[in-house]
Amino acid sequence: MSDPTQLYLDLLKKSLMNLLYAEPDRIVMANGKPTPLHLARQDGSEWPLNGPMHSMIGMKRLNNIQHCLQDVLQNNIPGDVIETGVWQGGASIFMQAVLKVHKATSRRLWVADSFNWIPPPNPEKYPQDAASDLHTYRYLAVPLEKVQQNFLRYDVLDMNVRFLKGLFEETLPTAPIDQLALIRLDGDLYQSTMEGLMYLYPKLSSGGYILIDDYGAIPNCKQAVDDYRTQHQIMAPIIPVDWTGVYWQKP
């Protein structure tokens, strides 16, 4: 007999990526190439221009969230869970669903985003982002109210979900987070990736996980991760998830 928890989580992943009623062989543009839809949504290589989705990170990265979070729960790794950069909220919704089905009621889910726009580059402080134009992509900006409505659609919004609205440099240093078991960074820029690492990684428990969404896709993000790991002599191996997502476990 199939495990009902796994059936629910698999169904939720397909729903978040709008795969339940999609035509799996329909051709979409993924990383600039015509690709069957089911393949594009496996590795999250499709931008959200081909129909409604609540997550564009793909099945492999959602599976990785599930693997890491269930390992944290099984091994009693202490701390809350956070995602920085949430778009429609799909990955955060999935994280909250995993917590709820495992009755992890003592852990909070922190959902951090400007909920307005990707901030323009700050080349004086972070010259690595000088050429970025992501702030001009208005469909990447999703209001807080829309993200909260999406949580309600999936019946996972409760008092354990805490929203941090604003720029990371303003919200993360003062957020009342004592300890983290899982961090997911999806900030795209060098600045937002570095700020997520600076303010959150020291709070990550031993045995906890950090997941990086844009390591393979955006050189600025990769450089921020590599710079931080070098500065802090982090030797834990970086493990690839798909063409862009990576993670490692804190020793």
Side-chain angles (χ1 to χ4, degrees):
M1 181 180 295
S2 298
D3 175 17
T5 295
Q6 188 60 47
L7 284 172
Y8 163 70
L9 293 176
D10 286 345
L11 184 65
L12 178 57
K13 284 180 277 193
K14 292 175 183 176
S15 179
L16 289 166
M17 292 189 297
N18 194 29
L19 278 172
L20 291 176
Y21 305 107
E23 302 167 2
D25 294 325
R26 177 164 60 89
I27 301 300
V28 298
M29 294 303 294
N31 284 342
K33 298 183 295 185
T35 305
L37 180 142
H38 71 282
L39 294 179
R41 295 192 184 174
Q42 275 293 314
D43 63 10
S45 56
E46 174 196 13
W47 277 62
L49 301 176
N50 300 294
M53 290 188 285
H54 290 142
S55 176
M56 57 174 153
I57 69 172
M59 184 68 78
K60 292 179 181 178
R61 271 169 273 166
L62 288 173
N63 288 340
N64 177 243
I65 290 173
Q66 181 179 344
H67 163 75
C68 294
L69 197 46
Q70 288 180 331
D71 185 72
V72 159
L73 298 175
Q74 182 177 353
N75 290 290
N76 297 313
I77 305 300
D80 294 340
V81 177
I82 189 169
E83 182 178 36
T84 65
V86 306
W87 190 51
Q88 298 272 355
S92 293
I93 288 167
F94 184 68
M95 292 157 77
Q96 174 68 354
V98 175
L99 292 174
K100 288 181 77 71
V101 297
H102 290 287
K103 298 181 173 56
T105 57
S106 64
R107 299 179 191 258
R108 291 176 178 171
L109 169 68
W110 299 89
V111 185
D113 201 290
S114 72
F115 298 107
N116 191 358
W117 72 89
I118 292 179
N122 181 354
E124 292 185 3
K125 189 173 182 180
Y126 295 100
Q128 300 87 348
D129 291 327
S132 175
D133 65 349
L134 288 172
H135 61 287
T136 67
Y137 292 73
R138 296 304 300 173
Y139 56 83
L140 296 178
V142 182
L144 173 59
E145 294 76 17
K146 177 67 180 299
V147 174
Q148 291 172 327
Q149 288 171 7
N150 289 340
F151 269 80
L152 287 170
R153 284 172 183 258
Y154 293 95
D155 293 323
V156 295
L157 186 62
D158 60 28
M159 294 299 294
N160 282 339
V161 181
R162 304 296 176 92
F163 295 93
L164 298 173
K165 181 179 180 179
L167 300 179
F168 297 157
E169 62 184 338
E170 299 169 352
T171 61
L172 298 184
T174 59
I177 302 171
D178 296 324
Q179 200 169 22
L180 290 163
L182 186 144
I183 301 167
R184 185 172 192 276
L185 303 184
D186 191 0
D188 303 321
L189 301 175
Y190 183 100
Q191 176 178 356
S192 50
T193 303
M194 181 60 76
E195 289 169 349
L197 290 164
M198 286 168 48
Y199 299 125
L200 300 177
Y201 193 77
K203 298 182 179 182
L204 185 64
S205 299
S206 296
Y209 291 92
I210 180 158
L211 287 55
I212 312 291
D213 190 78
D214 299 304
Y215 188 82
I218 302 179
N220 304 6
C221 170
K222 180 180 186 300
Q223 185 178 350
V225 172
D226 292 346
D227 288 350
Y228 185 86
R229 284 171 55 94
T230 298
Q231 292 164 11
H232 295 272
Q233 299 180 329
I234 298 171
M235 304 303 294
I238 293 177
I239 304 170
V241 177
D242 54 19
W243 67 282
T244 181
V246 300
Y247 73 108
W248 74 84
Q249 186 176 25
K250 189 173 184 177

